[in-house]
């Protein structure tokens, strides 16, 4: 039951059908509408990853600001490094999403 519920709640539009100890999952045809739905799900995962990265950046910035042993120049340099890493990782996510969307939408 828990496996069925997890598959049903995954947001992929799949409807498992239990048959004894088996679970059959009919996969819908990949028409244009279905491809767009899957692309939206990929976008949601990408946004979740971006939010996680931003949360790590916020925590890093807070730690830098709280560290009284650092000079102002060091704080500014470290903040810039954290921001640059954040931008780099978000760009990687965006590039991966664009590639995945292209992959999904191609026939």
């Amino acid at each position: 039951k828990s496996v069925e519920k997890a598959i049903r709640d995954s947001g992929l539009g799949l409807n498992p059908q239990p048959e004894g100890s088996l679970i059959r999952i009919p996969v819908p045809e990949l028409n244009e509408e279905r491809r767009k739905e899957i692309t939206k799900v990929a976008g949601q995962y990408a946004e979740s990853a971006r939010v996680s990265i931003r949360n790590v950046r916020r925590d890093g910035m807070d730690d830098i600001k709280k560290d009284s042993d650092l000079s102002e120049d060091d704080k500014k340099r470290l903040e810039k490094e954290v921001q640059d890493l954040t931008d780099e990782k978000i760009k990687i996510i965006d590039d991966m999403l664009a590639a995945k969307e292209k992959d999904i939408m191609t026939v």
Side-chain angles (χ1 to χ4, degrees), residues 52-65:
S52 296
I53 289 172
R54 289 184 193 121
N55 288 339
V56 170
R57 181 197 67 198
R58 184 194 64 230
D59 294 343
M61 293 292 200
D62 289 346
D63 289 345
I64 291 169
K65 289 176 184 175

Side-chain angles (χ1 to χ4, degrees), residues 70 72-82:
L70 294 173
E72 284 300 312
D73 289 340
D74 287 340
K75 286 182 181 182
K76 292 292 182 190
R77 181 183 51 78
L78 289 172
E79 286 175 356
K80 183 179 181 334
E81 287 179 20
V82 169

Side-chain angles (χ1 to χ4, degrees), residues 64-71 75:
I64 291 169
K65 289 176 184 175
K66 290 178 185 176
D67 193 344
S68 60
D69 295 337
L70 294 173
S71 68
K75 286 182 181 182

Side-chain angles (χ1 to χ4, degrees), residues 27-66:
V27 179
E29 180 183 335
L30 280 179
N31 56 21
E32 187 72 21
E33 181 181 329
R34 181 74 180 132
R35 289 176 194 271
K36 287 180 182 178
E37 288 176 21
I38 294 173
T39 301
K40 286 180 185 178
V41 171
Q44 292 170 351
Y45 283 118
E47 183 58 29
S48 175
R50 285 188 211 102
V51 167
S52 296
I53 289 172
R54 289 184 193 121
N55 288 339
V56 170
R57 181 197 67 198
R58 184 194 64 230
D59 294 343
M61 293 292 200
D62 289 346
D63 289 345
I64 291 169
K65 289 176 184 175
K66 290 178 185 176

Side-chain angles (χ1 to χ4, degrees), residues 72-106:
E72 284 300 312
D73 289 340
D74 287 340
K75 286 182 181 182
K76 292 292 182 190
R77 181 183 51 78
L78 289 172
E79 286 175 356
K80 183 179 181 334
E81 287 179 20
V82 169
Q83 185 61 47
D84 289 345
L85 282 171
T86 301
D87 294 342
E88 176 186 328
K89 299 306 177 189
I90 287 180
K91 183 180 181 335
I92 290 171
I93 290 171
D94 291 341
D95 293 345
M96 290 173 69
L97 176 62
K100 185 50 69 178
E101 286 176 344
K102 181 180 175 187
D103 187 39
I104 291 169
M105 296 306 289
T106 55

